[in-house]
Amino acid sequence: MIGKIMGFPPKNDRDEIREQLSRSEATILLDRDELSVTDQLKYDLCETIIKHLNKEKVSQRKLAKDLGVDPARISDITKYKFQSMTIDKLIEYVEKIEPGIKISVAS
């Protein structure tokens, strides 16, 4: 036999997977081009913060401490859950992690 035939995992494995999924947050998938101009700016600011996390290899917890915010706020940023955030607050975070950054809006 060349390949193994794959089937569904056993019922107790499926039940465990369902339980784990029910406890986790859903990932929000956004199409930037379909967002309002305001939300596109928030998206871009979140992306800048995420790039900083990856480039500097800093943990979300450490960044939260450096910015003086709850780690849940950084978690929300990394998931692009910015609906309750204001542009000025996101700019404040970006300015703290990227001193001297120039932010502009182009049409």
Side-chain angles (χ1 to χ4, degrees), residues 22-64:
S22 72
R23 290 185 306 227
S24 67
E25 284 189 48
T27 300
I28 297 174
L29 300 176
L30 298 174
D31 182 350
R32 185 188 177 285
D33 295 332
E34 293 182 11
L35 298 174
S36 68
V37 173
T38 300
D39 283 347
Q40 285 181 12
L41 178 54
K42 289 180 181 183
Y43 182 98
D44 292 346
L45 291 165
C46 287
E47 189 171 60
T48 300
I49 295 167
I50 293 166
K51 285 179 180 178
H52 173 81
L53 282 168
N54 293 331
K55 181 178 81 174
E56 300 299 323
K57 296 184 181 11
V58 62
S59 70
Q60 291 182 29
R61 186 176 302 279
K62 168 87 168 74
L63 182 59

Side-chain angles (χ1 to χ4, degrees), residues 10-100:
K11 182 178 180 345
N12 41 337
D13 288 352
R14 291 191 315 261
D15 291 343
E16 182 179 332
I17 291 167
R18 279 190 195 98
E19 175 62 27
Q20 289 174 358
L21 289 172
S22 72
R23 290 185 306 227
S24 67
E25 284 189 48
T27 300
I28 297 174
L29 300 176
L30 298 174
D31 182 350
R32 185 188 177 285
D33 295 332
E34 293 182 11
L35 298 174
S36 68
V37 173
T38 300
D39 283 347
Q40 285 181 12
L41 178 54
K42 289 180 181 183
Y43 182 98
D44 292 346
L45 291 165
C46 287
E47 189 171 60
T48 300
I49 295 167
I50 293 166
K51 285 179 180 178
H52 173 81
L53 282 168
N54 293 331
K55 181 178 81 174
E56 300 299 323
K57 296 184 181 11
V58 62
S59 70
Q60 291 182 29
R61 186 176 302 279
K62 168 87 168 74
L63 182 59
K65 184 177 180 188
D66 292 347
L67 295 177
V69 300
D70 190 89
R73 174 65 79 188
I74 303 302
S75 178
D76 286 347
I77 288 170
T78 63
K79 296 174 186 168
Y80 296 95
K81 293 172 68 176
F82 49 70
Q83 291 73 16
S84 65
M85 297 179 205
T86 61
I87 290 172
D88 61 318
K89 207 37 122 163
L90 288 168
I91 289 173
E92 180 183 317
Y93 300 154
V94 169
E95 288 177 328
K96 284 183 180 179
I97 62 173
E98 300 284 343

